[in-house]
Amino acid sequence: MRTTRLLVAAATVTALAACSGGGSVEGTPGGSGVRDPYFPKAGNSGYDVGHYDLALAYDPDAEHLDGTATITARATQDLSAFHLDLKGLDVEKVAVEGRAARFNRAGQELTVRPADELRDGETFRVTVRYSGEPVTITDPDGSEEGWLPTEDGAVALGQPTGSMAWFPGSHHPSDKAAYDLAVTVPEGFGVVSNGELTDETTRDGRTTSTWHSAEPMSSHVVTVAVGDWETGRSTTDDGLPVYTAVDPQQADASREVLGRIPEVMAWARENFGPYPFSSTGAIVDRVEDAGYALETQNRPYFPGAPDTVLLVHELAHQWYGNSVSPKSWRDMWLNEGFATYAEWLWEEDEGGDTAQETFDALYEGSYYPDEDANDSVWAFPPADPPDAEHISASPVYQRGAMVLHKIRETVGDDAFRALLRGWAAAHRHGNADTADFTAYVEKSAPDEDFTEIWEDWLYGDGRPDGP
């Protein structure tokens, strides 16, 4: 596998050199992918992105997108060429540091050869002009992502790799960046994205909305939602801005649950620590517009009005999954196990089932009305999904939450709440993997033995003996 990649990379550089007339090249090409265990082509090595500036124009009737992406990055090696992830769309021009650069396409890889070699540590800017009808990406589990046309516009959903369908970049959660997006649509359409709305102007029948996200963000939780929106602005008790955008067809059904955002945020801050971003909120689209909710940063996306428990889940992801992001997609349980356990804690604090009762029902096989669904909890270890198709399967969510409950049983409630807050603080705006988490837990409770939890619950096959 390694040899094949190196040969392909070498062939690409040779071809590029031939196009430019050859010449001495001291640097080497960056890698096409960061060798994620499930999505090996996702992301790119040789550089680290610091900022994306995306200028987009979308025509919903023609389903046509025009884009200019300006990416500011720092080389992490001497670079003769580098890769960007981009699936579909037509690339018209690429420039590096204002000078035209040669490029070629192969699958989801856009390979760029700058006119001048980039030195290790050098900050550089690459600009890509592109256009076309964005493709829809079907995940290994059958769900659809990317730039999805809707009845009244479109929505961009990126987990795990869909963002490469609408802008070029390093599309892996390990490469986080700040974002500015300016999105132009025909007058009458609204645009919602991440971060803060900094400007909105209408001229000559076209409206441009500008959004700014200062905190680091993985590309899979970047969103753009184009449509007809009823927007709401408010603040939490401590002054955090709340911005909601709701399809008018979902306004009545959503009003009560969205009104609880300040309450949920206050509860989450008490349990998880300071909120890591500059605003919060939600996007509620039509039921038929997407098949799933997603923890898009600052304001999660919902296809139809969510219930309170789903709202809790997606808002908890702002700490666990968005601020503390996985180093690879194998670490998905660190997102979903935490967000699922947040549901259990909320229900417990609201007078519903305790976390222990939920744990027991899952262990006994009585949680779901369907026997196959109960059995699926034990299909594989939460920290080791068998393949990309299963990174969002039941063990990642439910058995991942059960791991956290076993830790809570071991250390006690007070120490567990401190652990939740400490973990979010230790990796705030960063990335972590399972080894980081187990080391953190062991350091936080050095007198406890977690061997059984790690071996039987986190990495063990099948249902462990004894709850």
PDB file of all heavy atoms in Angstrom, residues 383-411:
ATOM      1  N   ALA A 383     -14.278   1.406  19.890  1.00  0.00           N
ATOM      2  CA  ALA A 383     -13.036   2.062  19.488  1.00  0.00           C
ATOM      3  C   ALA A 383     -12.393   1.437  18.255  1.00  0.00           C
ATOM      4  O   ALA A 383     -11.322   1.879  17.836  1.00  0.00           O
ATOM      5  CB  ALA A 383     -12.036   2.042  20.647  1.00  0.00           C
ATOM      6  N   ASP A 384     -13.057   0.445  17.652  1.00  0.00           N
ATOM      7  CA  ASP A 384     -12.453  -0.223  16.501  1.00  0.00           C
ATOM      8  C   ASP A 384     -13.522  -0.692  15.519  1.00  0.00           C
ATOM      9  O   ASP A 384     -13.711  -1.897  15.302  1.00  0.00           O
ATOM     10  CB  ASP A 384     -11.607  -1.408  16.963  1.00  0.00           C
ATOM     11  CG  ASP A 384     -10.707  -1.954  15.861  1.00  0.00           C
ATOM     12  OD1 ASP A 384     -10.458  -1.222  14.882  1.00  0.00           O
ATOM     13  OD2 ASP A 384     -10.250  -3.106  15.990  1.00  0.00           O
ATOM     14  N   PRO A 385     -14.234   0.256  14.870  1.00  0.00           N
ATOM     15  CA  PRO A 385     -15.206  -0.150  13.846  1.00  0.00           C
ATOM     16  C   PRO A 385     -14.519  -0.954  12.750  1.00  0.00           C
ATOM     17  O   PRO A 385     -13.357  -0.675  12.405  1.00  0.00           O
ATOM     18  CB  PRO A 385     -15.731   1.183  13.314  1.00  0.00           C
ATOM     19  CG  PRO A 385     -15.474   2.167  14.407  1.00  0.00           C
ATOM     20  CD  PRO A 385     -14.196   1.706  15.051  1.00  0.00           C
ATOM     21  N   PRO A 386     -15.201  -1.940  12.190  1.00  0.00           N
ATOM     22  CA  PRO A 386     -14.541  -2.822  11.221  1.00  0.00           C
ATOM     23  C   PRO A 386     -14.200  -2.150   9.902  1.00  0.00           C
ATOM     24  O   PRO A 386     -13.280  -2.592   9.203  1.00  0.00           O
ATOM     25  CB  PRO A 386     -15.554  -3.955  11.019  1.00  0.00           C
ATOM     26  CG  PRO A 386     -16.875  -3.356  11.391  1.00  0.00           C
ATOM     27  CD  PRO A 386     -16.584  -2.380  12.484  1.00  0.00           C
ATOM     28  N   ASP A 387     -14.935  -1.091   9.535  1.00  0.00           N
ATOM     29  CA  ASP A 387     -14.692  -0.431   8.250  1.00  0.00           C
ATOM     30  C   ASP A 387     -15.435   0.898   8.242  1.00  0.00           C
ATOM     31  O   ASP A 387     -16.128   1.260   9.202  1.00  0.00           O
ATOM     32  CB  ASP A 387     -15.155  -1.310   7.077  1.00  0.00           C
ATOM     33  CG  ASP A 387     -16.565  -1.855   7.265  1.00  0.00           C
ATOM     34  OD1 ASP A 387     -17.442  -1.093   7.732  1.00  0.00           O
ATOM     35  OD2 ASP A 387     -16.797  -3.034   6.953  1.00  0.00           O
ATOM     36  N   ALA A 388     -15.297   1.642   7.143  1.00  0.00           N
ATOM     37  CA  ALA A 388     -15.903   2.973   7.032  1.00  0.00           C
ATOM     38  C   ALA A 388     -17.423   2.927   7.102  1.00  0.00           C
ATOM     39  O   ALA A 388     -18.056   3.886   7.561  1.00  0.00           O
ATOM     40  CB  ALA A 388     -15.461   3.630   5.731  1.00  0.00           C
ATOM     41  N   GLU A 389     -18.005   1.825   6.672  1.00  0.00           N
ATOM     42  CA  GLU A 389     -19.465   1.707   6.688  1.00  0.00           C
ATOM     43  C   GLU A 389     -20.035   1.759   8.092  1.00  0.00           C
ATOM     44  O   GLU A 389     -21.203   2.103   8.289  1.00  0.00           O
ATOM     45  CB  GLU A 389     -19.867   0.397   6.002  1.00  0.00           C
ATOM     46  CG  GLU A 389     -21.371   0.164   5.930  1.00  0.00           C
ATOM     47  CD  GLU A 389     -21.726  -1.149   5.269  1.00  0.00           C
ATOM     48  OE1 GLU A 389     -20.815  -1.807   4.721  1.00  0.00           O
ATOM     49  OE2 GLU A 389     -22.913  -1.515   5.298  1.00  0.00           O
ATOM     50  N   HIS A 390     -19.219   1.452   9.100  1.00  0.00           N
ATOM     51  CA  HIS A 390     -19.746   1.281  10.458  1.00  0.00           C
ATOM     52  C   HIS A 390     -19.302   2.359  11.444  1.00  0.00           C
ATOM     53  O   HIS A 390     -19.511   2.213  12.643  1.00  0.00           O
ATOM     54  CB  HIS A 390     -19.343  -0.096  10.981  1.00  0.00           C
ATOM     55  CG  HIS A 390     -20.032  -1.227  10.278  1.00  0.00           C
ATOM     56  ND1 HIS A 390     -19.518  -1.801   9.137  1.00  0.00           N
ATOM     57  CD2 HIS A 390     -21.196  -1.864  10.544  1.00  0.00           C
ATOM     58  CE1 HIS A 390     -20.342  -2.761   8.735  1.00  0.00           C
ATOM     59  NE2 HIS A 390     -21.358  -2.823   9.565  1.00  0.00           N
ATOM     60  N   ILE A 391     -18.716   3.457  10.964  1.00  0.00           N
ATOM     61  CA  ILE A 391     -18.249   4.460  11.919  1.00  0.00           C
ATOM     62  C   ILE A 391     -19.393   5.217  12.587  1.00  0.00           C
ATOM     63  O   ILE A 391     -19.182   5.887  13.600  1.00  0.00           O
ATOM     64  CB  ILE A 391     -17.267   5.463  11.271  1.00  0.00           C
ATOM     65  CG1 ILE A 391     -17.946   6.267  10.156  1.00  0.00           C
ATOM     66  CG2 ILE A 391     -16.018   4.757  10.780  1.00  0.00           C
ATOM     67  CD1 ILE A 391     -17.097   7.435   9.658  1.00  0.00           C
ATOM     68  N   SER A 392     -20.604   5.085  12.051  1.00  0.00           N
ATOM     69  CA  SER A 392     -21.770   5.699  12.684  1.00  0.00           C
ATOM     70  C   SER A 392     -22.793   4.647  13.118  1.00  0.00           C
ATOM     71  O   SER A 392     -23.982   4.944  13.249  1.00  0.00           O
ATOM     72  CB  SER A 392     -22.432   6.707  11.736  1.00  0.00           C
ATOM     73  OG  SER A 392     -21.579   7.815  11.508  1.00  0.00           O
ATOM     74  N   ALA A 393     -22.339   3.436  13.355  1.00  0.00           N
ATOM     75  CA  ALA A 393     -23.240   2.354  13.759  1.00  0.00           C
ATOM     76  C   ALA A 393     -23.468   2.370  15.273  1.00  0.00           C
ATOM     77  O   ALA A 393     -22.782   3.061  16.028  1.00  0.00           O
ATOM     78  CB  ALA A 393     -22.675   1.012  13.314  1.00  0.00           C
ATOM     79  N   SER A 394     -24.410   1.564  15.703  1.00  0.00           N
ATOM     80  CA  SER A 394     -24.876   1.574  17.096  1.00  0.00           C
ATOM     81  C   SER A 394     -23.765   1.420  18.140  1.00  0.00           C
ATOM     82  O   SER A 394     -23.768   2.137  19.143  1.00  0.00           O
ATOM     83  CB  SER A 394     -25.937   0.484  17.282  1.00  0.00           C
ATOM     84  OG  SER A 394     -26.407   0.453  18.604  1.00  0.00           O
ATOM     85  N   PRO A 395     -22.795   0.510  17.972  1.00  0.00           N
ATOM     86  CA  PRO A 395     -21.770   0.390  19.018  1.00  0.00           C
ATOM     87  C   PRO A 395     -20.993   1.676  19.270  1.00  0.00           C
ATOM     88  O   PRO A 395     -20.586   1.943  20.403  1.00  0.00           O
ATOM     89  CB  PRO A 395     -20.858  -0.719  18.482  1.00  0.00           C
ATOM     90  CG  PRO A 395     -21.723  -1.522  17.573  1.00  0.00           C
ATOM     91  CD  PRO A 395     -22.630  -0.519  16.922  1.00  0.00           C
ATOM     92  N   VAL A 396     -20.780   2.471  18.231  1.00  0.00           N
ATOM     93  CA  VAL A 396     -20.043   3.722  18.376  1.00  0.00           C
ATOM     94  C   VAL A 396     -20.810   4.667  19.300  1.00  0.00           C
ATOM     95  O   VAL A 396     -20.218   5.355  20.143  1.00  0.00           O
ATOM     96  CB  VAL A 396     -19.798   4.355  16.993  1.00  0.00           C
ATOM     97  CG1 VAL A 396     -19.184   5.738  17.120  1.00  0.00           C
ATOM     98  CG2 VAL A 396     -18.917   3.438  16.146  1.00  0.00           C
ATOM     99  N   TYR A 397     -22.125   4.694  19.159  1.00  0.00           N
ATOM    100  CA  TYR A 397     -22.978   5.567  19.978  1.00  0.00           C
ATOM    101  C   TYR A 397     -23.260   4.947  21.344  1.00  0.00           C
ATOM    102  O   TYR A 397     -22.865   5.488  22.387  1.00  0.00           O
ATOM    103  CB  TYR A 397     -24.304   5.816  19.267  1.00  0.00           C
ATOM    104  CG  TYR A 397     -24.241   6.708  18.061  1.00  0.00           C
ATOM    105  CD1 TYR A 397     -23.607   6.300  16.888  1.00  0.00           C
ATOM    106  CD2 TYR A 397     -24.848   7.957  18.065  1.00  0.00           C
ATOM    107  CE1 TYR A 397     -23.563   7.115  15.773  1.00  0.00           C
ATOM    108  CE2 TYR A 397     -24.820   8.788  16.949  1.00  0.00           C
ATOM    109  CZ  TYR A 397     -24.179   8.360  15.808  1.00  0.00           C
ATOM    110  OH  TYR A 397     -24.140   9.172  14.698  1.00  0.00           O
ATOM    111  N   GLN A 398     -23.980   3.839  21.345  1.00  0.00           N
ATOM    112  CA  GLN A 398     -24.508   3.295  22.592  1.00  0.00           C
ATOM    113  C   GLN A 398     -23.426   2.617  23.430  1.00  0.00           C
ATOM    114  O   GLN A 398     -23.324   2.863  24.638  1.00  0.00           O
ATOM    115  CB  GLN A 398     -25.649   2.313  22.290  1.00  0.00           C
ATOM    116  CG  GLN A 398     -26.803   2.923  21.504  1.00  0.00           C
ATOM    117  CD  GLN A 398     -27.541   4.003  22.265  1.00  0.00           C
ATOM    118  OE1 GLN A 398     -27.245   4.307  23.421  1.00  0.00           O
ATOM    119  NE2 GLN A 398     -28.537   4.613  21.629  1.00  0.00           N
ATOM    120  N   ARG A 399     -22.630   1.764  22.811  1.00  0.00           N
ATOM    121  CA  ARG A 399     -21.587   1.115  23.592  1.00  0.00           C
ATOM    122  C   ARG A 399     -20.492   2.113  23.978  1.00  0.00           C
ATOM    123  O   ARG A 399     -19.870   1.995  25.034  1.00  0.00           O
ATOM    124  CB  ARG A 399     -21.007  -0.065  22.822  1.00  0.00           C
ATOM    125  CG  ARG A 399     -20.125  -0.947  23.697  1.00  0.00           C
ATOM    126  CD  ARG A 399     -19.769  -2.241  23.000  1.00  0.00           C
ATOM    127  NE  ARG A 399     -18.680  -2.911  23.689  1.00  0.00           N
ATOM    128  CZ  ARG A 399     -18.092  -4.015  23.251  1.00  0.00           C
ATOM    129  NH1 ARG A 399     -18.489  -4.572  22.120  1.00  0.00           N
ATOM    130  NH2 ARG A 399     -17.100  -4.554  23.935  1.00  0.00           N
ATOM    131  N   GLY A 400     -20.291   3.132  23.126  1.00  0.00           N
ATOM    132  CA  GLY A 400     -19.379   4.203  23.503  1.00  0.00           C
ATOM    133  C   GLY A 400     -19.843   4.909  24.759  1.00  0.00           C
ATOM    134  O   GLY A 400     -19.050   5.205  25.667  1.00  0.00           O
ATOM    135  N   ALA A 401     -21.159   5.170  24.853  1.00  0.00           N
ATOM    136  CA  ALA A 401     -21.707   5.788  26.058  1.00  0.00           C
ATOM    137  C   ALA A 401     -21.589   4.851  27.257  1.00  0.00           C
ATOM    138  O   ALA A 401     -21.361   5.300  28.397  1.00  0.00           O
ATOM    139  CB  ALA A 401     -23.168   6.168  25.828  1.00  0.00           C
ATOM    140  N   MET A 402     -21.717   3.551  27.020  1.00  0.00           N
ATOM    141  CA  MET A 402     -21.590   2.585  28.107  1.00  0.00           C
ATOM    142  C   MET A 402     -20.171   2.587  28.690  1.00  0.00           C
ATOM    143  O   MET A 402     -19.982   2.400  29.898  1.00  0.00           O
ATOM    144  CB  MET A 402     -21.983   1.189  27.617  1.00  0.00           C
ATOM    145  CG  MET A 402     -23.445   1.088  27.210  1.00  0.00           C
ATOM    146  SD  MET A 402     -23.893  -0.529  26.532  1.00  0.00           S
ATOM    147  CE  MET A 402     -24.252  -1.432  28.047  1.00  0.00           C
ATOM    148  N   VAL A 403     -19.158   2.803  27.839  1.00  0.00           N
ATOM    149  CA  VAL A 403     -17.787   2.928  28.327  1.00  0.00           C
ATOM    150  C   VAL A 403     -17.688   4.087  29.310  1.00  0.00           C
ATOM    151  O   VAL A 403     -17.099   3.969  30.395  1.00  0.00           O
ATOM    152  CB  VAL A 403     -16.807   3.124  27.152  1.00  0.00           C
ATOM    153  CG1 VAL A 403     -15.418   3.513  27.661  1.00  0.00           C
ATOM    154  CG2 VAL A 403     -16.723   1.871  26.297  1.00  0.00           C
ATOM    155  N   LEU A 404     -18.287   5.209  28.951  1.00  0.00           N
ATOM    156  CA  LEU A 404     -18.254   6.370  29.838  1.00  0.00           C
ATOM    157  C   LEU A 404     -18.978   6.089  31.149  1.00  0.00           C
ATOM    158  O   LEU A 404     -18.543   6.528  32.221  1.00  0.00           O
ATOM    159  CB  LEU A 404     -18.867   7.583  29.135  1.00  0.00           C
ATOM    160  CG  LEU A 404     -18.117   8.072  27.898  1.00  0.00           C
ATOM    161  CD1 LEU A 404     -18.844   9.240  27.261  1.00  0.00           C
ATOM    162  CD2 LEU A 404     -16.694   8.480  28.246  1.00  0.00           C
ATOM    163  N   HIS A 405     -20.069   5.340  31.076  1.00  0.00           N
ATOM    164  CA  HIS A 405     -20.785   5.026  32.308  1.00  0.00           C
ATOM    165  C   HIS A 405     -19.957   4.117  33.216  1.00  0.00           C
ATOM    166  O   HIS A 405     -19.981   4.275  34.450  1.00  0.00           O
ATOM    167  CB  HIS A 405     -22.134   4.373  32.000  1.00  0.00           C
ATOM    168  CG  HIS A 405     -23.000   4.242  33.214  1.00  0.00           C
ATOM    169  ND1 HIS A 405     -23.617   5.324  33.805  1.00  0.00           N
ATOM    170  CD2 HIS A 405     -23.328   3.163  33.975  1.00  0.00           C
ATOM    171  CE1 HIS A 405     -24.295   4.915  34.868  1.00  0.00           C
ATOM    172  NE2 HIS A 405     -24.131   3.610  34.991  1.00  0.00           N
ATOM    173  N   LYS A 406     -19.231   3.182  32.621  1.00  0.00           N
ATOM    174  CA  LYS A 406     -18.361   2.329  33.430  1.00  0.00           C
ATOM    175  C   LYS A 406     -17.263   3.159  34.112  1.00  0.00           C
ATOM    176  O   LYS A 406     -16.896   2.888  35.266  1.00  0.00           O
ATOM    177  CB  LYS A 406     -17.735   1.238  32.560  1.00  0.00           C
ATOM    178  CG  LYS A 406     -18.712   0.218  31.992  1.00  0.00           C
ATOM    179  CD  LYS A 406     -19.386  -0.600  33.082  1.00  0.00           C
ATOM    180  CE  LYS A 406     -18.432  -1.554  33.769  1.00  0.00           C
ATOM    181  NZ  LYS A 406     -19.127  -2.427  34.747  1.00  0.00           N
ATOM    182  N   ILE A 407     -16.748   4.168  33.413  1.00  0.00           N
ATOM    183  CA  ILE A 407     -15.769   5.057  34.043  1.00  0.00           C
ATOM    184  C   ILE A 407     -16.419   5.818  35.198  1.00  0.00           C
ATOM    185  O   ILE A 407     -15.832   5.954  36.281  1.00  0.00           O
ATOM    186  CB  ILE A 407     -15.195   6.032  32.997  1.00  0.00           C
ATOM    187  CG1 ILE A 407     -14.403   5.263  31.948  1.00  0.00           C
ATOM    188  CG2 ILE A 407     -14.322   7.090  33.670  1.00  0.00           C
ATOM    189  CD1 ILE A 407     -13.995   6.108  30.746  1.00  0.00           C
ATOM    190  N   ARG A 408     -17.639   6.291  34.981  1.00  0.00           N
ATOM    191  CA  ARG A 408     -18.365   6.998  36.047  1.00  0.00           C
ATOM    192  C   ARG A 408     -18.564   6.106  37.263  1.00  0.00           C
ATOM    193  O   ARG A 408     -18.382   6.543  38.407  1.00  0.00           O
ATOM    194  CB  ARG A 408     -19.715   7.487  35.511  1.00  0.00           C
ATOM    195  CG  ARG A 408     -20.585   8.215  36.529  1.00  0.00           C
ATOM    196  CD  ARG A 408     -21.917   8.582  35.895  1.00  0.00           C
ATOM    197  NE  ARG A 408     -22.830   9.182  36.857  1.00  0.00           N
ATOM    198  CZ  ARG A 408     -24.095   9.519  36.590  1.00  0.00           C
ATOM    199  NH1 ARG A 408     -24.580   9.309  35.360  1.00  0.00           N
ATOM    200  NH2 ARG A 408     -24.867  10.045  37.521  1.00  0.00           N
ATOM    201  N   GLU A 409     -18.937   4.844  37.037  1.00  0.00           N
ATOM    202  CA  GLU A 409     -19.087   3.898  38.143  1.00  0.00           C
ATOM    203  C   GLU A 409     -17.782   3.732  38.918  1.00  0.00           C
ATOM    204  O   GLU A 409     -17.782   3.606  40.149  1.00  0.00           O
ATOM    205  CB  GLU A 409     -19.516   2.527  37.607  1.00  0.00           C
ATOM    206  CG  GLU A 409     -20.968   2.414  37.209  1.00  0.00           C
ATOM    207  CD  GLU A 409     -21.313   0.994  36.796  1.00  0.00           C
ATOM    208  OE1 GLU A 409     -20.463   0.302  36.196  1.00  0.00           O
ATOM    209  OE2 GLU A 409     -22.436   0.564  37.090  1.00  0.00           O
ATOM    210  N   THR A 410     -16.673   3.751  38.202  1.00  0.00           N
ATOM    211  CA  THR A 410     -15.375   3.506  38.819  1.00  0.00           C
ATOM    212  C   THR A 410     -14.890   4.694  39.644  1.00  0.00           C
ATOM    213  O   THR A 410     -14.378   4.519  40.762  1.00  0.00           O
ATOM    214  CB  THR A 410     -14.333   3.169  37.733  1.00  0.00           C
ATOM    215  OG1 THR A 410     -14.771   2.004  37.015  1.00  0.00           O
ATOM    216  CG2 THR A 410     -12.964   2.904  38.337  1.00  0.00           C
ATOM    217  N   VAL A 411     -15.045   5.918  39.115  1.00  0.00           N
ATOM    218  CA  VAL A 411     -14.446   7.088  39.776  1.00  0.00           C
ATOM    219  C   VAL A 411     -15.431   7.848  40.653  1.00  0.00           C
ATOM    220  O   VAL A 411     -15.023   8.659  41.491  1.00  0.00           O
ATOM    221  CB  VAL A 411     -13.830   8.046  38.742  1.00  0.00           C
ATOM    222  CG1 VAL A 411     -12.785   7.332  37.906  1.00  0.00           C
ATOM    223  CG2 VAL A 411     -14.887   8.696  37.858  1.00  0.00           C
TER     224      VAL A 411
END
